[in-house]
Amino acid sequence: SQATVIVEIRDLNSDLGNFAVRPDTVTLNPGQTVETDPMQSKLGVDSYNLPVTITLRAGGQTETKTLTLRLVNAAPSAPPAAPAR
């Protein structure tokens, strides 16, 4: 958008839980991106595809979308340490 947008994050649900996003409202200036505080879950999932349903409210309109998060380029494991001599 070419205008500043105030977005309220109303809901975030997945197989990992129903998260309370903090901050729950963000202000985006044109061309800007923001990150919320990290969220953690003690639940596990059985797949590398995780559907996440998010509800946002901006400009008096509420919209809900389901996004599928996928693992991209897993970090390579470290090579085994050389034996001590």
Side-chain angles (χ1 to χ4, degrees):
S1 171
Q2 295 302 317
T4 298
V5 178
I6 298 171
V7 179
E8 179 185 354
I9 305 161
R10 308 216 40 190
D11 202 21
L12 181 72
N13 289 299
S14 76
D15 288 348
L16 294 175
N18 181 3
F19 292 94
V21 180
R22 299 289 178 244
D24 61 356
T25 302
V26 294
T27 301
L28 294 162
N29 294 312
Q32 181 185 17
T33 61
V34 297
E35 290 185 26
T36 60
D37 294 343
M39 294 167 271
Q40 297 180 352
S41 174
K42 294 184 181 191
L43 302 174
V45 291
D46 295 332
S47 170
Y48 289 112
N49 294 320
L50 178 66
V52 175
T53 302
I54 186 166
T55 302
L56 303 175
R57 181 167 181 80
Q61 295 183 326
T62 300
E63 188 171 338
T64 299
K65 294 284 185 182
T66 299
L67 312 170
T68 300
L69 305 181
R70 293 180 174 85
L71 183 63
V72 178
N73 295 334
S77 59
R85 295 185 182 209

Coordinates of all heavy atoms in Angstrom, one line a residue:
S1 N 0.8 -1.2 0.0 CA 0.0 0.0 0.0 C 0.9 1.2 0.0 O 2.0 1.2 0.5 CB -0.9 0.0 1.2 OG -1.6 1.2 1.4
Q2 N 0.4 2.3 -0.6 CA 1.1 3.6 -0.6 C 0.8 4.4 0.7 O 1.3 5.4 0.9 CB 0.7 4.4 -1.8 CG 1.2 3.7 -3.1 CD 2.7 3.5 -3.1 OE1 3.5 4.3 -2.7 NE2 3.1 2.3 -3.5
A3 N -0.1 3.8 1.6 CA -0.5 4.5 2.8 C -0.1 3.7 4.0 O 0.2 2.5 3.9 CB -2.0 4.7 2.8
T4 N 0.0 4.3 5.1 CA 0.3 3.6 6.4 C -0.9 2.8 6.7 O -2.1 3.3 6.6 CB 0.6 4.6 7.5 OG1 1.8 5.3 7.1 CG2 0.8 3.9 8.8
V5 N -0.7 1.5 7.1 CA -1.8 0.6 7.5 C -1.6 0.1 8.9 O -0.5 -0.3 9.3 CB -1.8 -0.6 6.5 CG1 -2.9 -1.6 6.8 CG2 -2.0 -0.1 5.0
I6 N -2.7 0.1 9.7 CA -2.7 -0.4 11.0 C -3.4 -1.8 10.9 O -4.5 -1.9 10.5 CB -3.4 0.5 12.0 CG1 -2.6 1.8 12.1 CG2 -3.4 -0.2 13.4 CD1 -3.3 2.9 12.9
V7 N -2.7 -2.9 11.3 CA -3.2 -4.2 11.2 C -3.3 -4.8 12.5 O -2.4 -4.8 13.3 CB -2.3 -5.1 10.3 CG1 -2.8 -6.5 10.2 CG2 -2.1 -4.5 8.9
E8 N -4.5 -5.3 12.8 CA -4.7 -6.1 14.1 C -4.7 -7.6 13.8 O -5.4 -8.0 12.9 CB -6.1 -5.7 14.7 CG -6.4 -6.4 15.9 CD -7.8 -6.1 16.4 OE1 -8.5 -5.2 15.8 OE2 -8.3 -6.7 17.4
I9 N -3.8 -8.3 14.5 CA -3.7 -9.7 14.4 C -4.7 -10.3 15.4 O -4.5 -10.4 16.6 CB -2.3 -10.2 14.6 CG1 -1.4 -9.4 13.7 CG2 -2.2 -11.7 14.4 CD1 0.1 -9.5 14.1
R10 N -5.9 -10.8 14.8 CA -7.0 -11.2 15.7 C -6.9 -12.7 16.2 O -7.3 -13.0 17.2 CB -8.3 -11.0 15.0 CG -8.3 -9.6 14.5 CD -9.6 -8.9 14.6 NE -10.4 -9.0 15.7 CZ -11.6 -8.6 15.8 NH1 -12.2 -8.0 14.7 NH2 -12.4 -8.8 16.8
D11 N -6.3 -13.5 15.3 CA -6.2 -15.0 15.6 C -5.1 -15.6 14.8 O -4.9 -15.3 13.7 CB -7.6 -15.6 15.3 CG -7.9 -16.9 16.0 OD1 -7.3 -17.1 17.1 OD2 -8.8 -17.6 15.5
L12 N -4.5 -16.6 15.4 CA -3.5 -17.4 14.8 C -3.5 -18.9 15.3 O -3.2 -19.1 16.5 CB -2.1 -16.9 15.0 CG -0.9 -17.6 14.3 CD1 -1.0 -17.4 12.8 CD2 0.4 -17.2 14.8
N13 N -4.0 -19.8 14.5 CA -4.2 -21.2 14.9 C -3.5 -22.1 14.0 O -3.4 -21.9 12.8 CB -5.7 -21.5 14.8 CG -6.5 -20.9 15.9 OD1 -6.2 -21.1 17.1 ND2 -7.4 -20.1 15.5
S14 N -2.9 -23.2 14.6 CA -2.3 -24.3 13.8 C -2.4 -25.6 14.7 O -2.8 -25.5 15.8 CB -0.9 -23.9 13.5 OG 0.0 -24.1 14.6
D15 N -1.8 -26.6 14.1 CA -1.7 -27.9 14.9 C -0.8 -27.7 16.1 O -0.8 -28.5 17.0 CB -1.2 -29.0 14.0 CG -2.2 -29.5 13.0 OD1 -3.4 -29.1 13.2 OD2 -1.8 -30.2 12.1
L16 N 0.0 -26.6 16.1 CA 0.9 -26.4 17.2 C 0.2 -25.6 18.3 O 0.8 -25.3 19.4 CB 2.2 -25.6 16.8 CG 3.1 -26.4 15.8 CD1 4.2 -25.5 15.3 CD2 3.6 -27.6 16.5
G17 N -1.0 -25.1 18.1 CA -1.7 -24.4 19.1 C -2.4 -23.1 18.6 O -2.3 -22.7 17.5
N18 N -3.1 -22.5 19.5 CA -3.8 -21.2 19.3 C -2.9 -20.2 19.9 O -2.8 -20.1 21.1 CB -5.2 -21.2 19.9 CG -5.9 -19.9 19.6 OD1 -5.5 -19.1 18.9 ND2 -7.1 -19.8 20.2
F19 N -2.2 -19.3 19.1 CA -1.2 -18.4 19.6 C -1.8 -17.0 19.9 O -2.6 -16.5 19.1 CB -0.1 -18.3 18.7 CG 0.7 -19.6 18.6 CD1 0.5 -20.5 17.6 CD2 1.8 -19.8 19.5 CE1 1.2 -21.7 17.5 CE2 2.5 -21.0 19.4 CZ 2.2 -21.9 18.4
A20 N -1.3 -16.4 20.9 CA -1.6 -15.0 21.2 C -0.4 -14.2 20.7 O 0.7 -14.2 21.2 CB -1.8 -14.8 22.7
V21 N -0.6 -13.6 19.5 CA 0.5 -12.9 18.9 C 0.7 -11.5 19.6 O -0.2 -10.8 19.9 CB 0.1 -12.6 17.4 CG1 1.2 -11.9 16.7 CG2 -0.2 -13.9 16.7
R22 N 2.0 -11.2 19.8 CA 2.4 -10.0 20.5 C 3.4 -9.3 19.7 O 4.4 -9.9 19.3 CB 3.0 -10.3 21.9 CG 2.0 -10.9 22.8 CD 0.9 -9.9 23.2 NE -0.1 -10.6 24.1 CZ -1.4 -10.8 23.8 NH1 -1.8 -10.3 22.6 NH2 -2.2 -11.4 24.6
P23 N 3.3 -8.0 19.4 CA 2.1 -7.2 19.7 C 1.0 -7.7 18.8 O 1.2 -8.2 17.7 CB 2.6 -5.8 19.3 CG 3.7 -6.0 18.3 CD 4.3 -7.3 18.6
D24 N -0.2 -7.4 19.2 CA -1.4 -7.9 18.5 C -1.8 -6.8 17.4 O -2.7 -7.1 16.6 CB -2.6 -8.3 19.4 CG -3.0 -7.1 20.2 OD1 -2.4 -6.0 20.2 OD2 -4.0 -7.3 21.0
T25 N -1.2 -5.7 17.4 CA -1.4 -4.6 16.5 C -0.1 -4.1 16.0 O 0.8 -3.8 16.8 CB -2.3 -3.5 17.0 OG1 -3.5 -4.0 17.5 CG2 -2.6 -2.4 16.0
V26 N 0.0 -4.0 14.6 CA 1.3 -3.4 14.1 C 0.9 -2.3 13.1 O -0.2 -2.3 12.5 CB 2.1 -4.5 13.3 CG1 2.6 -5.5 14.3 CG2 1.3 -5.2 12.2
T27 N 1.8 -1.4 13.0 CA 1.6 -0.3 12.0 C 2.7 -0.4 10.9 O 3.9 -0.5 11.2 CB 1.8 1.1 12.7 OG1 0.8 1.2 13.8 CG2 1.6 2.2 11.7
L28 N 2.2 -0.5 9.7 CA 3.1 -0.7 8.5 C 3.1 0.6 7.7 O 2.1 1.0 7.2 CB 2.6 -1.8 7.7 CG 2.7 -3.2 8.3 CD1 1.8 -4.2 7.6 CD2 4.1 -3.7 8.3
N29 N 4.3 1.2 7.5 CA 4.4 2.3 6.6 C 4.7 1.7 5.2 O 5.0 0.5 5.0 CB 5.6 3.1 7.0 CG 5.3 3.8 8.3 OD1 4.3 4.4 8.5 ND2 6.3 3.7 9.3
P30 N 4.5 2.5 4.1 CA 4.7 2.0 2.8 C 6.0 1.3 2.6 O 7.1 1.8 3.0 CB 4.6 3.3 1.9 CG 3.7 4.2 2.7 CD 4.1 3.9 4.2
G31 N 6.0 0.1 2.1 CA 7.2 -0.7 1.8 C 7.9 -1.3 3.0 O 8.9 -2.0 2.9
Q32 N 7.2 -1.1 4.2 CA 7.8 -1.7 5.4 C 7.3 -3.1 5.7 O 6.2 -3.5 5.4 CB 7.4 -0.8 6.6 CG 8.0 -1.2 7.9 CD 7.5 -0.3 9.1 OE1 6.5 0.4 9.0 NE2 8.1 -0.4 10.2
T33 N 8.2 -3.9 6.4 CA 7.8 -5.2 6.9 C 8.0 -5.1 8.4 O 8.9 -4.4 8.9 CB 8.6 -6.3 6.3 OG1 9.9 -6.2 6.6 CG2 8.3 -6.4 4.8
V34 N 7.3 -5.9 9.2 CA 7.5 -6.0 10.6 C 7.4 -7.5 11.0 O 6.9 -8.3 10.3 CB 6.4 -5.2 11.4 CG1 6.5 -3.8 11.1 CG2 5.1 -5.8 11.2
E35 N 8.0 -7.8 12.2 CA 8.0 -9.1 12.7 C 7.4 -9.0 14.1 O 7.6 -8.1 14.8 CB 9.4 -9.7 12.9 CG 10.0 -10.1 11.5 CD 11.3 -10.8 11.7 OE1 11.5 -11.5 12.8 OE2 12.1 -10.8 10.8
T36 N 6.6 -10.0 14.5 CA 6.0 -10.1 15.8 C 7.0 -10.8 16.7 O 8.0 -11.3 16.2 CB 4.7 -10.8 15.8 OG1 4.9 -12.1 15.3 CG2 3.7 -10.1 15.0
D37 N 6.7 -10.9 18.0 CA 7.6 -11.6 18.9 C 7.5 -13.1 18.5 O 6.5 -13.6 18.1 CB 7.1 -11.5 20.4 CG 7.2 -10.0 20.9 OD1 8.0 -9.3 20.3 OD2 6.6 -9.7 21.9
P38 N 8.6 -13.8 18.7 CA 8.6 -15.3 18.4 C 7.6 -16.0 19.2 O 7.3 -15.7 20.3 CB 10.1 -15.7 18.7 CG 10.9 -14.5 18.8 CD 9.9 -13.4 19.2
M39 N 7.1 -17.1 18.6 CA 6.1 -17.9 19.3 C 6.6 -19.3 19.3 O 7.2 -19.8 18.3 CB 4.7 -17.9 18.5 CG 4.1 -16.5 18.6 SD 2.7 -16.4 17.4 CE 3.6 -15.8 16.0
Q40 N 6.5 -20.0 20.4 CA 7.0 -21.4 20.6 C 5.8 -22.3 21.0 O 4.9 -21.9 21.7 CB 8.1 -21.4 21.6 CG 9.3 -20.6 21.1 CD 10.4 -20.7 22.1 OE1 10.3 -21.2 23.2 NE2 11.6 -20.1 21.8
S41 N 6.0 -23.6 20.6 CA 5.0 -24.6 21.0 C 5.7 -25.8 21.6 O 6.8 -26.1 21.1 CB 4.1 -25.0 19.9 OG 3.3 -26.0 20.2
K42 N 5.2 -26.4 22.6 CA 5.7 -27.7 23.1 C 5.1 -28.9 22.4 O 5.5 -30.0 22.7 CB 5.6 -27.7 24.6 CG 6.4 -26.7 25.3 CD 6.3 -26.8 26.8 CE 7.1 -25.6 27.3 NZ 7.3 -25.8 28.7
L43 N 4.2 -28.6 21.5 CA 3.6 -29.7 20.7 C 4.4 -30.0 19.5 O 5.1 -29.1 19.0 CB 2.2 -29.3 20.3 CG 1.2 -28.9 21.4 CD1 -0.1 -28.4 20.8 CD2 0.9 -30.1 22.3
G44 N 4.4 -31.2 19.0 CA 5.1 -31.5 17.8 C 4.1 -31.8 16.6 O 2.9 -31.8 16.8
V45 N 4.6 -31.8 15.4 CA 3.8 -32.1 14.3 C 4.5 -33.3 13.5 O 5.6 -33.6 13.7 CB 3.7 -30.9 13.3 CG1 2.8 -29.8 14.0 CG2 5.0 -30.4 12.9
D46 N 3.6 -34.0 12.8 CA 4.1 -35.2 12.0 C 4.5 -34.9 10.6 O 4.7 -35.8 9.8 CB 3.0 -36.2 12.1 CG 2.7 -36.7 13.5 OD1 3.6 -36.7 14.3 OD2 1.5 -37.1 13.7
S47 N 4.5 -33.6 10.2 CA 4.7 -33.3 8.8 C 5.6 -32.1 8.7 O 5.7 -31.3 9.6 CB 3.3 -33.1 8.2 OG 3.5 -32.5 6.9
Y48 N 6.2 -31.9 7.5 CA 6.9 -30.7 7.2 C 6.0 -29.6 6.5 O 6.5 -28.6 6.1 CB 8.1 -30.9 6.4 CG 9.2 -31.7 7.1 CD1 9.5 -33.0 6.8 CD2 9.9 -31.0 8.1 CE1 10.5 -33.6 7.5 CE2 10.9 -31.7 8.9 CZ 11.2 -33.0 8.6 OH 12.2 -33.6 9.3
N49 N 4.7 -29.9 6.4 CA 3.7 -29.0 5.9 C 2.8 -28.6 7.1 O 2.1 -29.5 7.6 CB 2.9 -29.6 4.8 CG 3.7 -29.9 3.6 OD1 4.6 -29.1 3.2 ND2 3.5 -31.0 2.9
L50 N 2.7 -27.4 7.5 CA 1.9 -27.0 8.6 C 0.9 -25.9 8.2 O 1.3 -24.7 8.0 CB 2.9 -26.4 9.7 CG 2.2 -25.9 11.0 CD1 1.5 -27.0 11.7 CD2 3.2 -25.2 11.9
P51 N -0.4 -26.3 8.1 CA -1.4 -25.2 7.8 C -1.5 -24.3 9.0 O -1.6 -24.8 10.2 CB -2.7 -26.0 7.6 CG -2.2 -27.5 7.4 CD -0.9 -27.6 8.2
V52 N -1.6 -23.0 8.8 CA -1.7 -22.0 9.8 C -2.9 -21.1 9.3 O -2.8 -20.6 8.2 CB -0.4 -21.2 10.0 CG1 -0.6 -20.0 10.9 CG2 0.7 -22.1 10.4
T53 N -3.8 -20.9 10.2 CA -5.0 -20.0 9.9 C -4.8 -18.7 10.7 O -4.6 -18.7 11.9 CB -6.3 -20.7 10.3 OG1 -6.4 -21.9 9.6 CG2 -7.5 -19.8 9.9
I54 N -4.8 -17.6 9.9 CA -4.6 -16.3 10.5 C -5.7 -15.4 10.2 O -6.2 -15.4 9.0 CB -3.2 -15.7 10.1 CG1 -2.9 -14.4 10.8 CG2 -3.2 -15.5 8.6 CD1 -1.5 -13.9 10.7
T55 N -6.2 -14.6 11.2 CA -7.2 -13.6 10.9 C -6.7 -12.2 11.2 O -6.1 -12.0 12.3 CB -8.4 -13.9 11.9 OG1 -8.9 -15.2 11.6 CG2 -9.5 -12.9 11.6
L56 N -6.8 -11.4 10.2 CA -6.3 -10.0 10.3 C -7.4 -9.0 10.2 O -8.4 -9.3 9.5 CB -5.2 -9.7 9.3 CG -4.0 -10.6 9.2 CD1 -3.1 -10.3 8.0 CD2 -3.2 -10.5 10.5
R57 N -7.3 -7.9 10.8 CA -8.3 -6.8 10.6 C -7.5 -5.5 10.3 O -6.6 -5.1 11.0 CB -9.1 -6.6 11.9 CG -10.2 -5.6 11.7 CD -11.2 -5.6 12.9 NE -12.3 -4.6 12.7 CZ -13.3 -4.7 11.9 NH1 -13.5 -5.8 11.2 NH2 -14.2 -3.8 11.9
A58 N -7.9 -4.9 9.2 CA -7.3 -3.6 8.8 C -8.4 -2.8 8.0 O -9.2 -3.4 7.2 CB -6.1 -3.8 7.9
G59 N -8.4 -1.5 8.2 CA -9.3 -0.7 7.5 C -10.8 -1.0 7.7 O -11.6 -0.9 6.8
G60 N -11.1 -1.6 8.9 CA -12.5 -1.9 9.1 C -12.9 -3.3 8.5 O -14.1 -3.6 8.6
Q61 N -12.0 -4.0 7.9 CA -12.4 -5.3 7.3 C -11.5 -6.4 7.9 O -10.4 -6.2 8.2 CB -12.1 -5.3 5.8 CG -13.0 -4.3 5.0 CD -12.7 -4.4 3.5 OE1 -11.6 -4.6 3.1 NE2 -13.8 -4.1 2.7
T62 N -12.2 -7.5 8.1 CA -11.6 -8.7 8.7 C -11.4 -9.8 7.6 O -12.4 -10.0 6.9 CB -12.4 -9.2 9.9 OG1 -12.5 -8.2 10.9 CG2 -11.7 -10.5 10.5
E63 N -10.3 -10.4 7.6 CA -10.0 -11.4 6.6 C -9.3 -12.6 7.2 O -8.4 -12.4 8.0 CB -9.2 -10.9 5.4 CG -9.1 -11.8 4.3 CD -8.4 -11.2 3.1 OE1 -8.5 -9.9 2.9 OE2 -7.9 -11.9 2.2
T64 N -9.7 -13.8 6.9 CA -9.1 -15.0 7.4 C -8.5 -15.8 6.3 O -9.2 -16.0 5.2 CB -10.1 -15.9 8.2 OG1 -10.6 -15.1 9.3 CG2 -9.5 -17.2 8.7
K65 N -7.3 -16.2 6.4 CA -6.6 -17.0 5.4 C -5.9 -18.2 6.0 O -5.5 -18.1 7.1 CB -5.6 -16.2 4.6 CG -6.1 -15.1 3.8 CD -6.7 -15.6 2.5 CE -7.1 -14.4 1.7 NZ -7.8 -14.8 0.5
T66 N -5.8 -19.3 5.3 CA -5.0 -20.5 5.7 C -3.8 -20.5 4.8 O -3.9 -20.6 3.6 CB -5.8 -21.8 5.7 OG1 -7.0 -21.6 6.5 CG2 -5.0 -22.9 6.1
L67 N -2.6 -20.5 5.5 CA -1.3 -20.6 4.8 C -0.7 -21.9 5.1 O -0.8 -22.4 6.3 CB -0.4 -19.4 5.2 CG -1.0 -18.0 5.2 CD1 -0.1 -17.1 5.9 CD2 -1.3 -17.6 3.8
T68 N 0.0 -22.5 4.2 CA 0.7 -23.7 4.5 C 2.2 -23.4 4.6 O 2.8 -23.0 3.6 CB 0.5 -24.8 3.5 OG1 -1.0 -25.1 3.5 CG2 1.2 -26.1 3.9
L69 N 2.8 -23.6 5.8 CA 4.2 -23.4 6.0 C 4.9 -24.7 5.6 O 4.5 -25.8 6.0 CB 4.5 -23.0 7.4 CG 3.7 -21.8 8.0 CD1 4.1 -21.5 9.4 CD2 4.0 -20.6 7.1
R70 N 6.0 -24.6 4.9 CA 6.8 -25.7 4.5 C 8.3 -25.5 4.8 O 8.8 -24.4 4.7 CB 6.7 -25.9 3.0 CG 5.3 -26.3 2.5 CD 5.2 -26.5 1.0 NE 3.9 -27.1 0.6 CZ 2.8 -26.3 0.4 NH1 2.9 -25.0 0.5 NH2 1.7 -26.9 0.1
L71 N 9.0 -26.6 5.1 CA 10.4 -26.5 5.4 C 11.1 -26.2 4.1 O 10.9 -26.9 3.1 CB 10.8 -27.9 6.0 CG 12.3 -28.0 6.4 CD1 12.6 -27.0 7.5 CD2 12.6 -29.4 6.9
V72 N 12.0 -25.2 4.1 CA 12.8 -24.9 3.0 C 14.2 -25.0 3.3 O 14.7 -24.3 4.3 CB 12.4 -23.4 2.5 CG1 13.3 -23.0 1.3 CG2 11.0 -23.3 2.2
N73 N 15.0 -25.8 2.6 CA 16.4 -25.9 2.8 C 16.8 -26.1 4.2 O 17.3 -25.2 4.9 CB 17.2 -24.7 2.2 CG 17.0 -24.6 0.7 OD1 16.8 -25.6 0.0 ND2 17.2 -23.4 0.2
A74 N 16.6 -27.3 4.7 CA 17.0 -27.6 6.1 C 18.5 -27.3 6.3 O 19.3 -27.6 5.4 CB 16.6 -29.0 6.4
A75 N 18.8 -26.8 7.4 CA 20.3 -26.5 7.7 C 21.0 -27.8 7.7 O 20.6 -28.8 8.2 CB 20.4 -25.9 9.1
P76 N 22.2 -27.9 7.0 CA 22.9 -29.1 6.9 C 23.5 -29.5 8.3 O 23.8 -28.6 9.1 CB 24.1 -28.8 5.9 CG 24.2 -27.3 5.9 CD 22.8 -26.8 6.3
S77 N 23.5 -30.8 8.6 CA 24.1 -31.2 9.8 C 25.6 -31.0 9.8 O 26.2 -31.1 8.8 CB 23.7 -32.6 10.1 OG 24.2 -33.5 9.1
A78 N 26.1 -30.7 11.0 CA 27.6 -30.5 11.1 C 28.3 -31.8 10.9 O 27.8 -32.9 11.3 CB 27.9 -30.0 12.5
P79 N 29.4 -31.8 10.2 CA 30.2 -33.0 10.0 C 30.7 -33.6 11.4 O 30.9 -32.8 12.3 CB 31.4 -32.6 9.1 CG 31.5 -31.1 9.3 CD 30.1 -30.6 9.7
P80 N 30.9 -34.9 11.4 CA 31.3 -35.5 12.7 C 32.7 -34.9 13.1 O 33.5 -34.7 12.2 CB 31.3 -37.0 12.5 CG 31.2 -37.1 11.0 CD 30.7 -35.9 10.4
A81 N 32.9 -34.8 14.4 CA 34.2 -34.3 14.9 C 35.3 -35.4 14.6 O 35.0 -36.6 14.7 CB 34.1 -34.0 16.4
A82 N 36.5 -34.9 14.3 CA 37.6 -35.8 14.1 C 38.0 -36.4 15.4 O 38.0 -35.7 16.5 CB 38.8 -35.0 13.5
P83 N 38.4 -37.7 15.4 CA 38.8 -38.3 16.7 C 40.0 -37.7 17.2 O 40.9 -37.2 16.5 CB 39.0 -39.8 16.3 CG 39.1 -39.8 14.8 CD 38.5 -38.5 14.3
A84 N 40.1 -37.6 18.6 CA 41.3 -37.0 19.2 C 42.5 -37.9 19.1 O 42.3 -39.2 19.1 CB 41.0 -36.8 20.7
R85 N 43.7 -37.4 19.0 CA 44.9 -38.2 18.8 C 45.7 -38.1 20.0 O 46.0 -37.3 20.7 CB 45.7 -37.7 17.6 CG 44.9 -38.0 16.3 CD 45.8 -37.7 15.2 NE 45.0 -37.9 14.0 CZ 45.5 -38.2 12.8 NH1 46.8 -38.4 12.7 NH2 44.7 -38.4 11.8

